[in-house]
């Protein structure tokens, strides 16, 4: 989505978006620098990429390129202003001398240049964080990727590294958690929903037929299922296998009754038919379900971070803390995915005792002691 500070690209000039506070911060900063160029040394952490407006980014690059005059020399003439304008105009033809005059008039206090620069850096952090979150959402919903989980986890790591870079740049303050409400999870598309339900049904039937596979699938949790009944039936299977009791469609149905799953569920005959139609491997279906859960979790995290960045009341430090808290929700399911997809460790043969030949004693160099005979 376009940032409010970006130049408007539409044709309807009556619907121009109103300028945001950062727009006035950029104008005030340029006014301060045009009046007192020596203040460029006080904002060394600011770069052209931090500006949301292309013309402003180009102008700042020109200021960094043209040698800064001394305060006395700058007070005598406007040579530096002309040189900066000439440097910037090839990349930003819209810049004019009159606009530089407007920038100078927009600066309340030149000595506040560092504060204006801090505002610009904070807004840039918000924009970049939104881009990272947008990318996370896009990857999580891209069905053309050969390995979507690997791609989404890599983007989550990139987002985490960016948050690590941001954290030292902004001062902590009380109330560091954002107050922005989390958006509700979006409903899955109809075709994706049906596919997920089919995979869950096949998992339940196959796990009922091969309950020994359930014991190795501790990485699959009820929250990974899209249908509450399927999540409850999976809990029934796990409970039966842990108690080492017989597992078949009837025993699963009996366990489901005790857990209150049959009150608003399907007909019992339909449920028995569902549990009696195995296909393939339970672990294979479980990985499909877990993969869908990983992508859904990543997508929801991306939307939560987007909501933080779109709330103008959220401070930069709150953005960092809230985004880190949201990203931490991916860690448990990432760990479970690694357990599910890691190859099983090779079992080593048990060592047996008593099979090796007895070790020979060292040769004696002295005669053995005489046995004492009791009389």
């Amino acid at each position: 989505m376009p940032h409010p500070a970006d130049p408007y690209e539409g044709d309807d000039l009556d619907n121009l978006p109103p300028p945001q506070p950062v727009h006035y911060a950029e104008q005030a900063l340029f006014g301060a620098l045009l009046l007192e160029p020596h203040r460029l040394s006080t904002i060394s952490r600011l770069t052209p990429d931090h500006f949301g407006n292309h013309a402003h980014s180009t102008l700042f690059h020109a200021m960094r390129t043209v040698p800064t005059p001394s305060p006395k020399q700058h007070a005598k003439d406007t040579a530096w202003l002309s040189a900066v304008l000439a440097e910037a105009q090839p990349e930003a033809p819209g810049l004019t001398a009159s606009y530089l005059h407007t920038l100078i008039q927009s600066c309340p206090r030149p000595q506040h240049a560092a504060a204006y620069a801090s505002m610009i850096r904070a807004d840039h952090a918000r924009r970049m964080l939104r881009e990272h979150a947008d990318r996370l959402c896009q990857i999580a919903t891209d069905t053309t990727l050969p390995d979507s989980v690997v791609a989404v986890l890599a983007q989550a790591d990139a987002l985490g590294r960016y948050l690590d870079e941001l954290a030292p740049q902004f001062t902590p303050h009380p109330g560091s958690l954002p107050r922005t409400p989390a958006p509700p999870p979006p409903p899955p598309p109809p075709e994706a929903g049906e596919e997920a339900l089919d995979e869950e049904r096949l998992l339940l039937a196959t796990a009922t037929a091969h309950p020994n596979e359930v014991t190795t699938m501790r990485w699959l949790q009820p929250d990974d299922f899209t249908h509450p009944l399927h999540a409850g039936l999976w809990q029934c299977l796990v409970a039966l296998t842990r108690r080492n009791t017989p597992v078949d469609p009837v025993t699963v149905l009996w366990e489901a009754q005790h857990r209150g799953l049959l009150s608003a569920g399907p007909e019992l005959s339909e449920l028995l038919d569902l549990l009696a139609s195995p296909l393939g491997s339970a672990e294979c279906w479980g990985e499909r379900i877990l993969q869908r859960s990983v992508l859904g979790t990543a997508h929801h995290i991306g939307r939560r971070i987007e909501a933080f960045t779109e709330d103008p009341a959220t401070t930069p430090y709150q953005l960092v803390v809230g985004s880190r808290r949201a990203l931490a929700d991916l860690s448990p399911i990432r760990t479970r995915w690694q357990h599910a997809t890691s190859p099983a460790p090779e079992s080593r043969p048990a060592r047996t005792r008593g099979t090796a030949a007895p070790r020979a004693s060292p040769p004696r160099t002295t005669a053995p002691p005489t046995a004492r005979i009791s009389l």
Side-chain angles (χ1 to χ4, degrees), residues 57-104:
S57 177
T58 304
L59 181 59
F60 188 76
H61 177 74
M63 288 181 170
R64 290 290 194 193
T65 304
V66 179
T68 305
S70 65
K72 291 183 179 180
Q73 181 63 33
H74 187 63
K76 294 179 180 180
D77 54 47
T78 60
W80 186 74
L81 299 181
S82 300
V84 167
L85 185 60
E87 178 71 24
Q89 278 184 328
E91 294 294 331
L95 289 174
T96 62
S98 63
Y99 184 65
L100 298 189
H101 183 68
T102 300
L103 294 176
I104 292 174

Side-chain angles (χ1 to χ4, degrees), residues 12 46 64 104-105 111 116 128 187 193 206 210 219 258 261 266 282 285 320-321 324 334 337 352 354 375:
D12 188 359
L46 197 67
R64 290 290 194 193
I104 292 174
Q105 291 182 324
Q111 59 269 32
Y116 304 146
M128 292 302 298
T206 308
H210 307 283
W219 37 262
H258 292 163
L261 300 177
W285 297 120
V320 173
V321 175
R324 276 180 163 176
R334 178 204 288 259
W337 173 257
T352 57
L375 299 176

